[in-house]
Amino acid sequence: MKVYIRTFGCQMNERDSEFIAGLFMEKGYELIDSPEEADIVLFNTCSVREHAEERAISNMGHLMKQYKNKIYGMVGCAAQALKGKLFERLPKLGLVCGTGEIAKLPELVEKIVDSSGGLNLRYLEEARKSKILACENIDGDIPELRSRYRENNKRAYVSIMRGCDNFCSYCIVPYVRGRERSRKIEYILNEIKGLGKRGIKDITLLGQNVNSYRPDFVNLLGEINKIQGVEKINFLTSHPKDANIELFKAIQDSDKIIKHLHLPLQSGSDRILKLMNRGYTREKYLNLIGEARNIIQGLHLTTDIIVGFPTETEEDFNDTLNLMKDTKFGMAYIFKYSPRTGTEAAKLADDVPADVKGKRHKILLDLQREIHKRKIYEKTRCHCVN
Ligand code: 5AD
Ligand code: SF4
């Protein structure tokens, strides 16, 4: 049987899809890169913003109209967030599987295939229940983080942790990916040693907040740095409240670690940062990046910004704008706020009108483009994956 997997969202999801692909291939399925010929169509979804979620649902709806006799499955964050509601939106959907259950996917698909009603069965009691189960550990490792199939023979993502405990008020990740769990250091090092032996020299460590890796992220970096065969080390994402001088020194002192930090700012206004529950102020953020730039030669600093968070005034927005003008990030990903059901911010009125969000979004995009065009953002080019 042939499986098609499409990924929406972040690098965490890309790694999950690669893992899922490996599981199916081990069971003898063929992986294909277009949905027409597939028997099984899986979408590994993102729910961090409304737009991403809607795009996945509408794309799957189109495919379902075009091709009838396939098993369709929604997997990952949006599946976890929307649960049974997805069956109402997509009546032909065969499977919903949450983020903590992806290791069971081939088993669930086999059950659908074996079911007497044929491929179009709206099966699912079991998957509906199982998708909410907590992640279980096998041999102390987190099942869906285990290394298997690798798409690329030059570089690889390595998950070092899963979930998030920060509960930023706008963010759905803690609800869909669960509590923070660090993977044991020996599993991570063994995986990377294995990659090194296969000639994979470029490693990106993944976690929602790598700086809160337990017991010690800087120590983990030091150990990875010693592994023979590894030449480039990158990591995503850092939270400004947990990044520190020890980390900056470790980056500067290693000739393998890429001189790149992704430090999401989200807003330049103290009032909004507090409402977002970010755990730092504007001043603290500015001091932090000042230290990072002092310590790390040729640092490539990137960020995420949300415009139009509930109650954001012109004054709050100008705080963000001015901070961006002064800081001159190498790259800034700018998002319009969208409420996510279940989060704290979703309890507030989404009161910044769409046209105001659009205007603020454009102002920041234009500013960032200008900074990029004039190359006034950094001293050296960075070779990170982003
Ligand atoms: N609305 C808009 N942007 C969001 N992000 C996270 N949640 C939301 C939301 N509800 C952005 C943040 C985060 C990035 C991955 O997505 O900027 O850093
Ligand atoms: Fe990644 Fe978050 Fe989107 Fe899930 S919701 S795919 S963790 S960005």
Side-chain angles (χ1 to χ4, degrees):
M1 295 192 94
K2 295 174 184 164
V3 190
Y4 167 77
I5 305 173
R6 176 163 174 196
T7 310
F8 296 76
C10 62
Q11 287 91 345
M12 261 61 80
N13 265 17
E14 280 174 37
R15 175 65 193 123
D16 281 357
S17 292
E18 190 178 50
F19 169 78
I20 296 166
L23 290 181
F24 277 99
M25 280 156 63
E26 277 171 20
K27 297 261 179 196
Y29 290 78
E30 187 187 341
L31 191 68
I32 56 171
D33 48 18
S34 78
E36 291 98 76
E37 303 282 301
D39 303 293
I40 299 141
V41 173
L42 298 177
F43 276 20
N44 188 13
T45 52
C46 175
S47 59
V48 85
R49 288 173 298 277
E50 191 179 5
H51 179 68
E53 201 172 83
E54 285 304 317
R55 199 158 57 96
I57 296 171
S58 88
N59 285 342
M60 182 161 271
H62 283 306
L63 281 185
M64 284 171 167
K65 272 193 203 136
Q66 250 180 306
Y67 310 108
K68 307 266 184 248
N69 291 324
K70 299 184 193 297
I71 294 174
Y72 286 98
M74 279 284 198
V75 177
C77 296
Q80 187 74 48
L82 297 171
K83 303 187 175 86
K85 278 191 205 141
L86 276 171
F87 295 106
E88 289 156 30
R89 301 272 314 265
L90 298 165
K92 297 250 159 56
L93 192 63
L95 175 70
V96 169
C97 178
T99 49
E101 300 295 324
I102 55 176
K104 295 202 186 97
L105 267 171
E107 206 183 298
L108 296 171
V109 166
E110 262 159 40
K111 282 195 178 159
I112 301 180
V113 173
D114 292 345
S115 63
S116 49
L119 294 183
N120 267 338
L121 248 199
R122 241 187 89 192
Y123 166 88
L124 257 273
E125 242 5 82
E126 184 153 352
R128 266 189 220 187
K129 273 191 215 141
S130 66
K131 74 190 178 304
I132 9 185
L133 287 181
C135 166
E136 53 195 85
N137 284 8
I138 298 173
D139 304 335
D141 200 357
I142 300 173
E144 65 270 24
L145 299 191
R146 295 168 149 223
S147 154
R148 286 187 210 182
Y149 163 67
R150 293 287 174 180
E151 272 167 8
N152 190 311
N153 56 16
K154 292 206 172 65
R155 59 182 200 217
Y157 290 129
V158 175
S159 299
I160 63 166
M161 61 201 301
R162 214 153 163 89
C164 180
D165 282 351
N166 288 320
F167 289 94
C168 301
S169 64
Y170 51 81
C171 186
I172 196 149
V173 170
Y175 306 94
V176 291
R177 289 209 172 244
R179 291 296 76 69
E180 202 170 277
R181 293 158 330 264
S182 292
R183 201 173 165 202
K184 277 192 195 146
I185 188 163
E186 58 262 37
Y187 292 111
I188 300 171
L189 298 180
N190 282 341
E191 180 173 338
I192 298 176
K193 280 177 194 157
L195 294 170
K197 282 189 193 135
R198 284 164 62 177
I200 299 179
K201 298 177 176 141
D202 187 341
I203 303 292
T204 299
L205 308 175
L206 295 180
Q208 297 295 342
N209 177 10
V210 291
N211 304 110
S212 60
Y213 175 82
R214 293 285 172 268
D216 187 347
F217 182 58
V218 171
N219 174 56
L220 173 69
L221 278 178
E223 292 300 316
I224 296 171
N225 203 52
K226 290 184 209 155
I227 296 177
Q228 272 205 345
V230 171
E231 289 177 6
K232 256 189 196 180
I233 306 165
N234 194 12
F235 55 85
L236 295 164
T237 289
S238 299
H239 194 302
K241 80 176 168 45
D242 298 315
N244 56 32
I245 292 181
E246 280 66 47
L247 174 70
F248 304 154
K249 285 185 182 153
I251 298 173
Q252 171 61 18
D253 291 346
S254 161
D255 53 8
K256 295 184 182 178
I257 304 177
I258 299 298
K259 308 297 180 252
H260 169 221
L261 268 179
H262 185 64
L263 275 176
L265 165 70
Q266 311 300 2
S267 170
S269 150
D270 280 342
R271 195 181 68 81
I272 297 291
L273 284 172
K274 197 153 186 216
L275 284 175
M276 287 177 163
N277 191 30
R278 288 292 286 171
Y280 55 85
T281 57
R282 172 193 178 91
E283 192 189 346
K284 238 173 136 182
Y285 185 90
L286 286 171
N287 286 341
L288 187 75
I289 59 170
E291 276 167 349
R293 282 176 161 163
N294 275 340
I295 296 171
I296 308 168
Q297 297 295 304
L299 174 66
H300 182 64
L301 184 65
T302 59
T303 201
D304 292 343
I305 306 277
I306 299 176
V307 294
F309 186 85
T311 77
E312 187 186 68
T313 60
E314 277 303 309
E315 198 185 335
D316 294 318
F317 172 70
N318 282 332
D319 284 346
T320 306
L321 177 66
N322 290 331
L323 194 153
M324 284 182 69
K325 277 184 186 161
D326 292 345
T327 300
K328 299 185 186 65
F329 293 102
M331 168 73 104
Y333 300 90
I334 312 202
F335 306 107
K336 292 182 224 166
Y337 170 75
S338 57
R340 308 283 58 214
T341 308
T343 60
E344 277 303 304
K347 295 178 187 159
L348 304 170
D350 182 14
D351 58 358
V352 178
D355 60 329
V356 175
K357 280 185 194 168
K359 204 184 83 200
R360 292 179 184 170
H361 186 250
K362 184 171 183 314
I363 291 172
L364 297 190
L365 274 186
D366 288 348
L367 168 67
Q368 192 55 39
R369 278 199 195 114
E370 185 62 21
I371 290 171
H372 209 260
K373 208 168 85 193
R374 290 169 53 202
K375 293 194 171 29
I376 49 177
Y377 51 87
E378 57 182 327
K379 297 167 209 105
T380 53
R381 282 293 304 149
C382 142
H383 304 285
C384 55
V385 288
N386 293 305

